[in-house]
Amino acid sequence: MNIGIEERLGLVSFEVDKERHIKVDTGCECDKKACLYFCPANRFTLEEGKIKHDYEGCIECGSCKFSCPKGMVDFNYPRGGYGVYYKYG
Ligand code: SF4
């Protein structure tokens, strides 16, 4: 079965915290913008030349922390009781 990212994200649940667990300095001006390609949940987008990041729907893989060569992505896990819940079985 071949399903898209939105359907895949629909298989997990989130308890969204008001406090961001990932802070992104969107003032970056690098050419490569690797963060757009690292995130398996597609949480980074480019709007009018600026990086936008939506932490809701983050599956907490931590990849984005390593995507930015300039260290503009500050990844932390959400506070206890918040974040992604995976369903098994
Ligand atoms: S931790 Fe993973 S899923 Fe969450 S925003 Fe970063 S790359 Fe995307």
Side-chain angles (χ1 to χ4, degrees), residues 4-70:
I5 188 66
E6 294 305 324
E7 288 88 5
R8 286 176 193 262
L9 288 176
L11 298 174
V12 294
S13 305
F14 300 92
E15 187 64 41
V16 178
D17 193 354
K18 286 182 279 181
E19 194 174 298
R20 297 183 67 91
H21 67 283
I22 302 175
K23 296 181 178 84
V24 180
D25 184 343
T26 55
C28 117
E29 296 180 357
C30 78
D31 294 334
K32 296 197 173 31
K33 301 201 181 336
C35 54
L36 292 172
Y37 306 101
F38 267 67
C39 180
N42 230 9
R43 298 295 92 193
F44 289 81
T45 54
L46 192 62
E47 294 177 25
E48 297 177 2
K50 292 276 187 194
I51 292 291
K52 301 280 183 199
H53 179 257
D54 175 13
Y55 72 99
E56 296 180 19
C58 166
I59 58 172
E60 301 170 28
C61 71
S63 298
C64 53
K65 178 178 183 176
F66 303 102
S67 70
C68 181
K70 299 190 178 195

